[in-house]
Coordinates of all heavy atoms in Angstrom, one line a residue:
M8 N 0.8 -1.2 0.0 CA 0.0 0.0 0.0 C 0.9 1.2 0.0 O 2.0 1.2 0.5 CB -0.9 0.0 1.2 CG -1.9 -1.2 1.3 SD -3.1 -1.2 0.0 CE -4.4 -0.2 0.8
L9 N 0.4 2.3 -0.6 CA 1.1 3.6 -0.5 C 0.1 4.7 -0.1 O -1.1 4.5 -0.2 CB 1.7 3.9 -1.9 CG 0.9 3.9 -3.1 CD1 0.4 5.2 -3.4 CD2 1.7 3.3 -4.3
T10 N 0.7 5.8 0.3 CA -0.2 6.9 0.8 C -0.2 8.0 -0.3 O 0.8 8.3 -0.9 CB 0.4 7.5 2.1 OG1 0.5 6.5 3.1 CG2 -0.4 8.7 2.6
V11 N -1.5 8.5 -0.5 CA -1.7 9.6 -1.4 C -2.2 10.8 -0.5 O -3.1 10.6 0.3 CB -2.7 9.3 -2.5 CG1 -2.9 10.6 -3.4 CG2 -2.3 8.1 -3.3
N12 N -1.5 11.9 -0.5 CA -1.9 13.0 0.3 C -2.6 14.0 -0.6 O -2.1 14.6 -1.5 CB -0.6 13.7 0.8 CG 0.1 12.8 1.8 OD1 -0.4 12.5 2.8 ND2 1.3 12.4 1.4
F13 N -3.9 14.2 -0.3 CA -4.7 15.1 -1.0 C -4.8 16.5 -0.3 O -5.0 16.5 0.9 CB -6.2 14.6 -1.2 CG -6.3 13.5 -2.2 CD1 -6.3 12.2 -1.8 CD2 -6.4 13.8 -3.6 CE1 -6.4 11.1 -2.7 CE2 -6.5 12.7 -4.5 CZ -6.5 11.4 -4.1
I14 N -4.7 17.5 -1.0 CA -4.9 18.9 -0.5 C -6.2 19.4 -1.1 O -6.3 19.5 -2.3 CB -3.8 19.9 -0.7 CG1 -2.5 19.3 -0.2 CG2 -4.1 21.2 -0.2 CD1 -1.2 20.1 -0.6
L15 N -7.3 19.5 -0.3 CA -8.6 19.9 -0.9 C -8.7 21.4 -1.1 O -7.8 22.2 -0.7 CB -9.7 19.5 0.1 CG -9.6 18.0 0.5 CD1 -10.8 17.6 1.4 CD2 -9.5 17.1 -0.7
A16 N -9.7 21.8 -1.9 CA -9.8 23.2 -2.3 C -10.0 24.1 -1.1 O -9.6 25.3 -1.2 CB -11.0 23.3 -3.2
D17 N -10.5 23.6 0.0 CA -10.6 24.5 1.2 C -9.3 24.5 2.1 O -9.3 25.1 3.2 CB -11.8 24.0 2.1 CG -11.6 22.6 2.7 OD1 -10.5 22.0 2.5 OD2 -12.5 22.1 3.4
G18 N -8.3 23.8 1.6 CA -7.0 23.8 2.3 C -6.8 22.7 3.2 O -5.7 22.5 3.7
S19 N -7.9 21.9 3.5 CA -7.7 20.8 4.4 C -7.0 19.6 3.7 O -6.9 19.6 2.4 CB -9.1 20.3 4.9 OG -9.9 19.9 3.8
R20 N -6.5 18.7 4.4 CA -5.6 17.6 3.9 C -6.2 16.3 4.3 O -6.8 16.1 5.4 CB -4.2 17.7 4.4 CG -3.5 19.0 3.9 CD -2.2 19.2 4.5 NE -1.5 20.4 4.0 CZ -0.4 20.3 3.3 NH1 0.2 19.2 3.0 NH2 0.1 21.5 2.8
R21 N -6.1 15.3 3.4 CA -6.5 13.9 3.7 C -5.4 13.0 3.2 O -4.9 13.2 2.0 CB -7.8 13.6 2.9 CG -9.0 14.3 3.4 CD -9.8 13.5 4.5 NE -9.9 12.1 4.2 CZ -10.9 11.5 3.5 NH1 -11.8 12.2 2.9 NH2 -10.9 10.2 3.4
A22 N -5.0 12.1 4.0 CA -4.0 11.1 3.6 C -4.7 9.8 3.4 O -5.5 9.4 4.4 CB -2.9 11.0 4.6
V23 N -4.7 9.1 2.3 CA -5.4 7.9 2.0 C -4.4 6.8 1.6 O -3.4 7.1 1.0 CB -6.5 8.1 1.0 CG1 -7.4 9.2 1.4 CG2 -6.0 8.3 -0.4
Q24 N -4.8 5.6 1.7 CA -4.0 4.4 1.4 C -4.6 3.8 0.1 O -5.8 3.7 0.0 CB -4.0 3.4 2.5 CG -3.6 3.9 3.8 CD -2.1 4.2 3.8 OE1 -1.3 3.4 3.4 NE2 -1.8 5.4 4.3
I25 N -3.7 3.3 -0.8 CA -4.2 2.6 -2.0 C -3.1 1.7 -2.4 O -1.9 1.9 -2.2 CB -4.6 3.6 -3.1 CG1 -5.3 2.8 -4.2 CG2 -3.4 4.4 -3.6 CD1 -6.2 3.7 -5.1
A26 N -3.5 0.6 -3.1 CA -2.6 -0.4 -3.6 C -1.9 0.2 -4.9 O -2.5 0.9 -5.7 CB -3.3 -1.7 -4.0
P27 N -0.6 -0.1 -5.1 CA 0.1 0.2 -6.3 C -0.7 -0.3 -7.5 O -1.3 -1.4 -7.5 CB 1.4 -0.4 -6.2 CG 1.6 -0.7 -4.7 CD 0.2 -0.9 -4.2
G28 N -0.6 0.4 -8.6 CA -1.3 0.0 -9.9 C -2.7 0.7 -10.0 O -3.2 0.7 -11.1
R29 N -3.2 1.1 -8.9 CA -4.5 1.9 -9.0 C -4.2 3.3 -9.3 O -3.1 3.8 -9.3 CB -5.3 1.6 -7.8 CG -5.6 0.1 -7.6 CD -6.6 -0.2 -6.6 NE -7.9 0.2 -7.1 CZ -8.9 0.6 -6.3 NH1 -8.7 0.8 -5.0 NH2 -10.1 1.0 -6.8
T30 N -5.2 4.1 -9.7 CA -5.0 5.5 -10.1 C -5.3 6.5 -9.0 O -6.0 6.1 -8.0 CB -5.9 5.8 -11.3 OG1 -7.3 5.8 -10.9 CG2 -5.7 4.9 -12.4
V31 N -4.8 7.7 -9.2 CA -5.1 8.8 -8.2 C -6.6 9.0 -8.1 O -7.2 9.2 -7.1 CB -4.4 10.0 -8.7 CG1 -4.8 11.2 -7.8 CG2 -2.9 9.9 -8.6
K32 N -7.3 8.9 -9.3 CA -8.8 9.0 -9.3 C -9.4 7.9 -8.4 O -10.4 8.2 -7.6 CB -9.3 8.9 -10.7 CG -10.8 8.8 -10.9 CD -11.1 7.5 -11.3 CE -12.6 7.3 -11.7 NZ -13.0 5.9 -11.7
E33 N -9.0 6.7 -8.5 CA -9.5 5.6 -7.7 C -9.2 5.9 -6.2 O -10.1 5.6 -5.3 CB -9.0 4.3 -8.1 CG -9.5 3.9 -9.5 CD -8.8 2.7 -10.1 OE1 -7.6 2.5 -9.9 OE2 -9.5 2.0 -10.9
A34 N -8.1 6.4 -5.9 CA -7.7 6.7 -4.5 C -8.7 7.8 -4.0 O -9.2 7.7 -2.8 CB -6.3 7.3 -4.4
A35 N -9.1 8.8 -4.8 CA -10.0 9.8 -4.4 C -11.4 9.2 -4.2 O -12.1 9.4 -3.2 CB -10.0 10.9 -5.4
E36 N -11.8 8.4 -5.2 CA -13.2 7.9 -5.2 C -13.4 6.9 -4.0 O -14.4 7.0 -3.3 CB -13.4 7.1 -6.4 CG -14.3 7.8 -7.5 CD -14.5 6.9 -8.7 OE1 -14.0 5.8 -8.8 OE2 -15.2 7.4 -9.6
D37 N -12.4 6.1 -3.8 CA -12.5 5.1 -2.7 C -12.6 5.7 -1.3 O -13.1 5.1 -0.4 CB -11.3 4.1 -2.7 CG -11.3 3.2 -3.9 OD1 -12.3 3.2 -4.7 OD2 -10.4 2.4 -4.0
N38 N -12.1 6.9 -1.2 CA -12.0 7.6 0.0 C -12.9 8.9 0.1 O -12.7 9.7 1.0 CB -10.6 7.9 0.4 CG -9.8 6.6 0.6 OD1 -9.8 6.0 1.6 ND2 -9.1 6.2 -0.5
L39 N -13.8 9.0 -0.8 CA -14.8 10.1 -0.8 C -14.1 11.5 -0.7 O -14.5 12.3 0.1 CB -15.8 9.9 0.3 CG -16.6 8.6 0.3 CD1 -17.5 8.5 1.5 CD2 -17.3 8.4 -1.0
I40 N -13.1 11.6 -1.5 CA -12.4 12.9 -1.5 C -13.3 13.9 -2.3 O -13.7 13.7 -3.4 CB -11.0 12.8 -2.2 CG1 -10.1 11.9 -1.5 CG2 -10.4 14.2 -2.4 CD1 -9.7 12.3 -0.1
R41 N -13.6 15.0 -1.6 CA -14.5 16.0 -2.3 C -13.7 16.7 -3.4 O -12.5 17.0 -3.3 CB -14.9 17.1 -1.2 CG -15.8 16.6 -0.1 CD -16.3 17.8 0.7 NE -15.2 18.7 1.1 CZ -14.5 18.5 2.2 NH1 -14.6 17.5 3.0 NH2 -13.6 19.4 2.5
G42 N -14.5 17.0 -4.5 CA -14.0 17.9 -5.5 C -13.4 17.1 -6.7 O -13.0 17.8 -7.7
I43 N -13.5 15.8 -6.7 CA -13.1 15.1 -7.9 C -14.3 14.3 -8.4 O -14.8 13.4 -7.7 CB -11.9 14.1 -7.6 CG1 -10.7 14.9 -7.3 CG2 -11.7 13.2 -8.9 CD1 -9.4 14.1 -7.0
L44 N -14.9 14.8 -9.5 CA -16.2 14.2 -9.9 C -16.1 12.9 -10.7 O -16.8 12.0 -10.5 CB -17.0 15.3 -10.7 CG -17.2 16.6 -10.0 CD1 -18.0 17.6 -10.9 CD2 -18.0 16.4 -8.7
A45 N -15.1 12.9 -11.6 CA -14.8 11.7 -12.4 C -16.1 11.2 -13.1 O -16.4 10.0 -13.0 CB -14.2 10.7 -11.6
L46 N -16.8 12.0 -13.8 CA -18.2 11.7 -14.3 C -18.1 10.6 -15.3 O -19.1 9.9 -15.5 CB -18.9 12.9 -14.8 CG -19.1 14.0 -13.8 CD1 -19.7 15.3 -14.4 CD2 -20.1 13.5 -12.7
C47 N -17.1 10.4 -16.1 CA -17.0 9.4 -17.1 C -16.5 8.1 -16.6 O -16.4 7.1 -17.3 CB -16.2 9.9 -18.3 SG -14.4 9.8 -18.0
G48 N -16.2 8.0 -15.3 CA -15.8 6.8 -14.7 C -14.3 6.4 -15.0 O -13.9 5.3 -14.7
G49 N -13.6 7.3 -15.6 CA -12.2 7.0 -15.8 C -11.8 6.7 -17.2 O -10.7 6.2 -17.5
S50 N -12.6 7.0 -18.2 CA -12.3 6.7 -19.6 C -11.7 7.9 -20.3 O -11.7 7.9 -21.6 CB -13.6 6.2 -20.3 OG -14.6 7.2 -20.2
C51 N -11.3 9.0 -19.6 CA -10.7 10.1 -20.2 C -11.5 10.8 -21.2 O -11.1 11.2 -22.3 CB -9.3 9.7 -20.8 SG -8.2 11.1 -21.2
T52 N -12.8 11.0 -20.9 CA -13.7 11.8 -21.8 C -14.4 12.9 -21.1 O -15.2 13.6 -21.8 CB -14.7 10.8 -22.4 OG1 -15.5 10.2 -21.3 CG2 -14.1 9.8 -23.3
C53 N -14.3 13.1 -19.8 CA -15.1 14.1 -19.1 C -14.3 15.3 -18.6 O -14.7 16.4 -18.6 CB -15.9 13.6 -18.0 SG -15.0 13.1 -16.5
G54 N -13.1 15.1 -18.2 CA -12.2 16.2 -17.7 C -12.6 16.6 -16.3 O -12.1 17.6 -15.8
T55 N -13.4 15.9 -15.6 CA -13.8 16.3 -14.2 C -13.1 15.6 -13.1 O -13.6 15.6 -12.0 CB -15.4 16.1 -14.0 OG1 -15.7 14.7 -14.1 CG2 -16.2 16.9 -15.1
C56 N -11.9 15.1 -13.4 CA -11.1 14.5 -12.4 C -9.7 15.2 -12.4 O -8.7 14.7 -11.9 CB -10.9 13.0 -12.7 SG -10.0 12.7 -14.3
H57 N -9.8 16.5 -12.7 CA -8.6 17.3 -12.8 C -7.9 17.5 -11.4 O -8.6 17.7 -10.4 CB -9.0 18.7 -13.3 CG -8.0 19.7 -13.5 ND1 -8.3 21.1 -13.6 CD2 -6.6 19.6 -13.6 CE1 -7.2 21.8 -13.7 NE2 -6.1 20.9 -13.7
V58 N -6.6 17.3 -11.4 CA -5.8 17.6 -10.2 C -4.5 18.3 -10.6 O -4.1 18.3 -11.7 CB -5.5 16.3 -9.4 CG1 -6.8 15.6 -8.9 CG2 -4.7 15.3 -10.3
Y59 N -3.9 18.9 -9.5 CA -2.6 19.4 -9.7 C -1.6 18.5 -8.9 O -1.8 18.3 -7.7 CB -2.5 20.8 -9.1 CG -3.5 21.8 -9.6 CD1 -4.4 22.4 -8.8 CD2 -3.5 22.1 -11.0 CE1 -5.3 23.3 -9.3 CE2 -4.4 23.0 -11.5 CZ -5.3 23.6 -10.7 OH -6.2 24.5 -11.2
V60 N -0.7 17.9 -9.6 CA 0.2 16.9 -9.0 C 1.4 17.7 -8.4 O 1.8 18.7 -9.0 CB 0.7 15.9 -10.1 CG1 1.7 15.0 -9.5 CG2 -0.4 15.2 -10.7
G61 N 1.8 17.3 -7.2 CA 2.9 18.0 -6.6 C 4.1 18.0 -7.6 O 4.4 17.1 -8.3
E62 N 4.8 19.2 -7.6 CA 5.8 19.4 -8.6 C 6.9 18.3 -8.6 O 7.3 17.9 -9.7 CB 6.5 20.8 -8.4 CG 5.6 21.9 -8.9 CD 6.3 23.2 -8.8 OE1 7.6 23.2 -8.6 OE2 5.6 24.2 -8.8
Q63 N 7.3 17.8 -7.5 CA 8.3 16.8 -7.4 C 7.9 15.4 -7.9 O 8.7 14.5 -8.2 CB 8.9 16.7 -6.0 CG 8.0 16.1 -5.0 CD 7.2 17.2 -4.3 OE1 6.7 18.1 -4.9 NE2 7.0 17.0 -3.0
W64 N 6.5 15.3 -8.1 CA 6.0 14.0 -8.5 C 5.5 14.1 -10.0 O 5.4 13.0 -10.6 CB 4.8 13.7 -7.7 CG 5.1 13.6 -6.2 CD1 4.9 14.5 -5.3 CD2 5.7 12.4 -5.6 NE1 5.3 14.0 -4.0 CE2 5.8 12.8 -4.2 CE3 6.1 11.2 -6.0 CZ2 6.4 11.9 -3.3 CZ3 6.7 10.3 -5.1 CH2 6.8 10.7 -3.8
A65 N 5.3 15.2 -10.5 CA 4.6 15.3 -11.8 C 5.4 14.6 -12.9 O 4.8 13.9 -13.8 CB 4.4 16.8 -12.2
A66 N 6.7 14.7 -12.9 CA 7.5 14.1 -14.0 C 7.6 12.5 -13.9 O 8.1 11.9 -14.8 CB 8.9 14.6 -14.0
R67 N 7.0 12.0 -12.8 CA 7.1 10.5 -12.6 C 6.1 9.8 -13.4 O 6.1 8.6 -13.6 CB 6.9 10.2 -11.1 CG 7.8 10.9 -10.2 CD 9.2 10.3 -10.1 NE 9.1 9.0 -9.5 CZ 9.1 8.8 -8.2 NH1 9.2 9.8 -7.3 NH2 9.0 7.6 -7.7
F68 N 5.1 10.6 -13.9 CA 4.0 10.0 -14.7 C 4.4 10.1 -16.2 O 5.1 11.1 -16.6 CB 2.7 10.6 -14.4 CG 2.2 10.4 -13.1 CD1 2.3 11.3 -12.1 CD2 1.6 9.2 -12.7 CE1 1.9 11.1 -10.8 CE2 1.1 8.9 -11.4 CZ 1.3 9.9 -10.5
A69 N 3.8 9.2 -17.0 CA 4.0 9.4 -18.5 C 3.3 10.7 -18.9 O 2.3 11.1 -18.2 CB 3.3 8.2 -19.2
P70 N 3.7 11.3 -19.9 CA 3.1 12.6 -20.4 C 1.6 12.4 -20.7 O 1.2 11.3 -21.1 CB 3.9 13.0 -21.6 CG 5.1 12.2 -21.6 CD 4.8 11.0 -20.8
P71 N 0.8 13.4 -20.7 CA -0.6 13.3 -21.1 C -0.7 12.9 -22.5 O 0.0 13.3 -23.4 CB -1.2 14.7 -20.9 CG -0.1 15.5 -20.1 CD 1.2 14.8 -20.3
S72 N -1.8 12.1 -22.8 CA -2.1 11.7 -24.1 C -2.7 13.0 -24.8 O -3.0 14.0 -24.2 CB -3.2 10.6 -24.1 OG -4.4 11.1 -23.6
I73 N -2.9 12.8 -26.1 CA -3.6 13.9 -26.9 C -5.0 14.2 -26.3 O -5.4 15.4 -26.1 CB -3.7 13.6 -28.4 CG1 -2.3 13.6 -29.0 CG2 -4.6 14.6 -29.1 CD1 -2.2 13.0 -30.4
D74 N -5.7 13.2 -26.0 CA -7.1 13.4 -25.4 C -7.0 14.0 -24.1 O -7.8 15.0 -23.8 CB -7.8 12.0 -25.3 CG -8.2 11.4 -26.7 OD1 -8.2 12.2 -27.7 OD2 -8.5 10.2 -26.7
E75 N -6.1 13.6 -23.2 CA -6.0 14.2 -21.9 C -5.6 15.7 -22.0 O -6.2 16.5 -21.4 CB -5.0 13.4 -21.0 CG -4.9 14.1 -19.6 CD -3.9 13.4 -18.7 OE1 -3.3 12.3 -19.1 OE2 -3.6 13.9 -17.6
D76 N -4.7 15.9 -22.9 CA -4.2 17.3 -23.1 C -5.3 18.2 -23.5 O -5.5 19.3 -23.0 CB -3.1 17.3 -24.1 CG -2.4 18.6 -24.2 OD1 -1.9 19.1 -23.2 OD2 -2.4 19.2 -25.3
A77 N -6.2 17.7 -24.5 CA -7.3 18.5 -24.9 C -8.3 18.8 -23.8 O -8.8 19.9 -23.7 CB -8.0 17.8 -26.1
L78 N -8.6 17.8 -23.0 CA -9.5 17.9 -21.9 C -9.0 18.9 -20.9 O -9.7 19.7 -20.3 CB -9.8 16.6 -21.3 CG -10.8 15.7 -22.1 CD1 -10.8 14.3 -21.5 CD2 -12.2 16.2 -22.1
L79 N -7.7 18.9 -20.6 CA -7.1 19.8 -19.7 C -7.2 21.2 -20.2 O -7.4 22.2 -19.4 CB -5.6 19.4 -19.4 CG -5.5 18.2 -18.5 CD1 -4.0 17.7 -18.5 CD2 -5.9 18.4 -17.1
D80 N -7.1 21.4 -21.5 CA -7.3 22.8 -22.1 C -8.7 23.3 -21.7 O -8.9 24.5 -21.6 CB -7.1 22.7 -23.6 CG -5.6 22.8 -24.0 OD1 -4.8 23.2 -23.1 OD2 -5.3 22.6 -25.1
G81 N -9.7 22.4 -21.6 CA -11.0 22.9 -21.4 C -11.4 22.7 -19.9 O -12.6 22.8 -19.6
A82 N -10.5 22.5 -19.0 CA -10.8 22.3 -17.6 C -11.5 23.5 -17.0 O -11.2 24.7 -17.4 CB -9.6 21.9 -16.8
A83 N -12.4 23.3 -16.1 CA -13.1 24.4 -15.5 C -12.2 25.3 -14.6 O -12.3 26.5 -14.6 CB -14.2 23.9 -14.6
A84 N -11.2 24.6 -13.9 CA -10.3 25.4 -13.1 C -9.0 25.7 -14.0 O -8.8 25.1 -15.0 CB -9.9 24.6 -11.9
E85 N -8.3 26.6 -13.5 CA -7.0 27.1 -14.2 C -6.2 25.8 -14.5 O -5.9 25.0 -13.7 CB -6.3 28.0 -13.3 CG -4.9 28.3 -13.7 CD -4.0 28.9 -12.6 OE1 -4.4 28.9 -11.4 OE2 -2.9 29.4 -12.9
R86 N -5.7 25.8 -15.8 CA -4.7 24.8 -16.1 C -3.3 25.2 -15.7 O -2.9 26.4 -16.1 CB -4.7 24.4 -17.6 CG -3.7 23.3 -17.9 CD -3.8 22.9 -19.4 NE -2.9 21.8 -19.6 CZ -2.8 21.1 -20.7 NH1 -3.6 21.3 -21.7 NH2 -1.9 20.1 -20.8
R87 N -2.6 24.4 -15.0 CA -1.2 24.7 -14.6 C -0.3 23.7 -15.2 O -0.7 22.6 -15.8 CB -1.1 24.6 -13.1 CG -2.0 25.6 -12.4 CD -1.9 25.5 -10.9 NE -2.9 26.3 -10.2 CZ -3.2 26.1 -8.9 NH1 -2.6 25.2 -8.2 NH2 -4.1 26.9 -8.4
D88 N 1.1 23.9 -15.1 CA 2.0 23.0 -15.6 C 1.9 21.6 -15.0 O 2.2 20.6 -15.7 CB 3.5 23.5 -15.3 CG 3.8 24.7 -16.1 OD1 3.1 25.0 -17.1 OD2 4.8 25.4 -15.8
T89 N 1.4 21.5 -13.8 CA 1.2 20.2 -13.2 C -0.2 19.6 -13.2 O -0.5 18.7 -12.6 CB 1.7 20.3 -11.7 OG1 0.8 21.3 -11.1 CG2 3.1 20.7 -11.5
S90 N -1.0 20.2 -14.1 CA -2.4 19.7 -14.2 C -2.4 18.4 -14.9 O -1.7 18.2 -15.9 CB -3.2 20.7 -15.1 OG -3.6 21.8 -14.4
R91 N -3.2 17.5 -14.3 CA -3.4 16.1 -14.9 C -4.8 15.7 -14.7 O -5.5 16.2 -13.8 CB -2.4 15.1 -14.4 CG -1.0 15.4 -14.7 CD -0.6 15.3 -16.1 NE -1.0 14.1 -16.8 CZ -0.2 13.1 -17.0 NH1 1.1 13.1 -16.6 NH2 -0.6 12.0 -17.7
L92 N -5.2 14.7 -15.4 CA -6.5 14.0 -15.1 C -6.2 12.8 -14.3 O -5.4 12.0 -14.7 CB -7.2 13.6 -16.4 CG -7.6 14.8 -17.3 CD1 -8.4 14.3 -18.6 CD2 -8.5 15.8 -16.6
S93 N -6.8 12.8 -13.1 CA -6.3 11.8 -12.1 C -6.7 10.4 -12.5 O -6.0 9.4 -12.0 CB -7.0 12.1 -10.8 OG -8.4 12.1 -10.8
C94 N -7.6 10.2 -13.5 CA -7.9 8.8 -14.0 C -6.8 8.3 -14.9 O -6.7 7.1 -15.2 CB -9.2 8.8 -14.7 SG -9.3 9.7 -16.3
Q95 N -5.9 9.2 -15.3 CA -4.8 8.8 -16.1 C -3.5 8.6 -15.4 O -2.4 8.6 -16.0 CB -4.6 9.8 -17.3 CG -5.9 10.0 -18.1 CD -6.4 8.7 -18.7 OE1 -5.6 8.1 -19.5 NE2 -7.6 8.2 -18.4
L96 N -3.5 8.6 -14.1 CA -2.3 8.5 -13.2 C -2.3 7.3 -12.4 O -2.6 7.3 -11.2 CB -2.3 9.8 -12.3 CG -2.4 11.1 -13.0 CD1 -2.5 12.3 -12.0 CD2 -1.2 11.3 -14.0
P97 N -1.7 6.2 -13.0 CA -1.5 5.0 -12.2 C -0.4 5.2 -11.2 O 0.7 5.8 -11.6 CB -1.2 3.9 -13.3 CG -0.6 4.7 -14.4 CD -1.3 6.0 -14.4
L98 N -0.6 4.7 -10.0 CA 0.4 4.9 -8.9 C 1.4 3.7 -8.9 O 1.0 2.6 -8.8 CB -0.3 5.1 -7.6 CG -1.2 6.4 -7.5 CD1 -2.3 6.2 -6.5 CD2 -0.2 7.5 -7.1
A99 N 2.7 4.1 -8.9 CA 3.7 3.1 -8.7 C 4.1 2.9 -7.3 O 3.8 3.8 -6.5 CB 4.9 3.5 -9.6
E100 N 4.6 1.8 -6.9 CA 5.0 1.5 -5.6 C 5.9 2.6 -5.0 O 5.8 2.9 -3.8 CB 5.7 0.1 -5.5 CG 5.6 -0.5 -4.1 CD 5.6 -2.0 -4.2 OE1 5.7 -2.5 -5.3 OE2 5.7 -2.6 -3.1
D101 N 6.8 3.2 -5.8 CA 7.7 4.1 -5.3 C 7.1 5.6 -5.3 O 7.9 6.5 -5.1 CB 9.0 4.1 -6.1 CG 8.8 4.5 -7.5 OD1 7.7 4.7 -8.0 OD2 9.8 4.6 -8.2
M102 N 5.8 5.7 -5.4 CA 5.2 7.0 -5.3 C 4.6 7.2 -3.9 O 3.7 8.1 -3.8 CB 4.1 7.2 -6.4 CG 4.7 7.2 -7.8 SD 3.5 7.3 -9.1 CE 4.5 7.5 -10.5
D103 N 5.0 6.5 -2.9 CA 4.4 6.6 -1.6 C 4.7 8.0 -1.1 O 5.8 8.5 -1.2 CB 5.1 5.6 -0.7 CG 4.5 5.6 0.7 OD1 3.3 5.8 0.8 OD2 5.3 5.5 1.7
G104 N 3.6 8.7 -0.6 CA 3.7 10.0 -0.1 C 3.4 11.1 -1.1 O 3.5 12.3 -0.8
I105 N 3.0 10.7 -2.3 CA 2.7 11.7 -3.4 C 1.6 12.8 -2.9 O 0.7 12.4 -2.1 CB 2.2 11.0 -4.6 CG1 1.9 12.0 -5.8 CG2 0.9 10.2 -4.4 CD1 1.6 11.3 -7.1
M106 N 1.8 14.0 -3.3 CA 0.9 15.1 -3.0 C 0.1 15.5 -4.2 O 0.7 15.6 -5.3 CB 1.7 16.3 -2.6 CG 2.7 16.1 -1.4 SD 1.9 16.0 0.2 CE 1.1 17.6 0.3
V107 N -1.2 15.6 -4.0 CA -2.1 16.0 -5.1 C -3.1 17.0 -4.6 O -3.7 16.8 -3.5 CB -2.9 14.7 -5.5 CG1 -3.9 15.1 -6.6 CG2 -2.0 13.6 -6.0
T108 N -3.2 18.1 -5.3 CA -4.1 19.2 -4.9 C -5.4 19.1 -5.8 O -5.3 19.0 -7.0 CB -3.4 20.5 -5.1 OG1 -2.3 20.6 -4.2 CG2 -4.3 21.7 -4.7
V109 N -6.5 19.3 -5.2 CA -7.8 19.3 -5.9 C -8.2 20.7 -6.2 O -8.2 21.6 -5.3 CB -8.9 18.6 -5.0 CG1 -10.2 18.6 -5.7 CG2 -8.5 17.2 -4.5
P110 N -8.5 21.0 -7.5 CA -8.9 22.4 -7.8 C -10.2 22.8 -7.2 O -11.0 21.9 -6.7 CB -9.0 22.3 -9.4 CG -9.0 20.9 -9.8 CD -8.5 20.1 -8.6
D111 N -10.5 24.0 -7.3 CA -11.8 24.5 -6.7 C -13.0 24.3 -7.5 O -14.1 24.5 -7.0 CB -11.6 26.0 -6.3 CG -11.3 26.9 -7.5 OD1 -11.3 26.3 -8.6 OD2 -11.2 28.1 -7.3
Q112 N -12.9 23.8 -8.7 CA -14.1 23.5 -9.5 C -13.7 22.5 -10.6 O -12.5 22.4 -11.0 CB -14.7 24.7 -10.2 CG -13.7 25.5 -11.0 CD -14.4 26.8 -11.6 OE1 -15.6 26.8 -11.8 NE2 -13.6 27.8 -11.8
Q113 N -14.7 21.7 -11.0 CA -14.5 20.7 -12.0 C -15.4 20.8 -13.2 O -15.2 20.2 -14.2 CB -14.7 19.3 -11.4 CG -13.7 18.9 -10.4 CD -12.3 18.5 -10.9 OE1 -12.1 18.5 -12.2 NE2 -11.4 18.1 -10.1
Q114 N -16.4 21.7 -13.1 CA -17.3 21.9 -14.3 C -18.0 23.2 -14.2 O -17.9 23.9 -13.2 CB -18.3 20.7 -14.3 CG -19.2 20.6 -13.1 CD -20.2 19.5 -13.3 OE1 -20.3 18.8 -14.3 NE2 -21.0 19.3 -12.3
Ligands
LIG226 S1 -12.8 10.5 -14.9 FE1 -13.4 11.4 -16.8 S2 -11.6 12.2 -17.6 FE2 -11.0 11.3 -15.7

């Protein structure tokens, strides 16, 4: 198991546990993290699972696909360099302690 640290839009923090190989979106859903809607269920078609990945962690993931990149361009909250769709972020065992910030809006 590894820990994912979520920083919510109101500034509060939640640390949750998840098995390697699952996604940041699944970590949020399984633990009822507020602010990640994930309306398409993880098929990279809705853009409502937007997160900001901690800077030191962002490069650990494969770059966004063309579809993810397009959805991030249309995200409701500001797009930043570390913006990703959490359904596209599988967690590796060595990502224990990753920090993820939830934006203030998803749609
Ligand atoms: S859950 Fe819809 S794009 Fe991630």
Side-chain angles (χ1 to χ4, degrees):
M8 299 294 272
L9 55 93
T10 300
V11 180
N12 297 293
F13 286 97
I14 303 171
L15 307 186
D17 66 2
S19 62
R20 293 172 180 248
R21 292 268 318 273
V23 306
Q24 306 288 311
I25 190 161
R29 302 192 70 214
T30 65
V31 173
K32 170 251 188 200
E33 290 169 329
E36 258 182 0
D37 289 359
N38 294 282
L39 304 177
I40 298 295
R41 293 188 313 274
I43 296 181
L44 302 181
L46 296 176
C47 75
S50 58
C51 197
T52 57
C53 73
T55 63
C56 64
H57 180 199
V58 295
Y59 304 119
V60 178
E62 282 185 18
Q63 68 272 40
W64 300 99
R67 306 278 295 276
F68 294 99
S72 66
I73 292 171
D74 288 345
E75 181 182 352
D76 189 57
L78 285 167
L79 286 169
D80 276 346
E85 171 196 12
R86 182 175 182 173
R87 301 178 186 164
D88 290 345
T89 59
S90 285
R91 295 298 304 265
L92 296 181
S93 58
C94 69
Q95 302 301 300
L96 301 178
L98 291 155
E100 201 154 356
D101 63 355
M102 292 177 175
D103 185 37
I105 185 172
M106 303 286 297
V107 178
T108 299
V109 179
D111 59 0
Q112 56 183 331
Q113 292 285 0
Q114 60 180 359

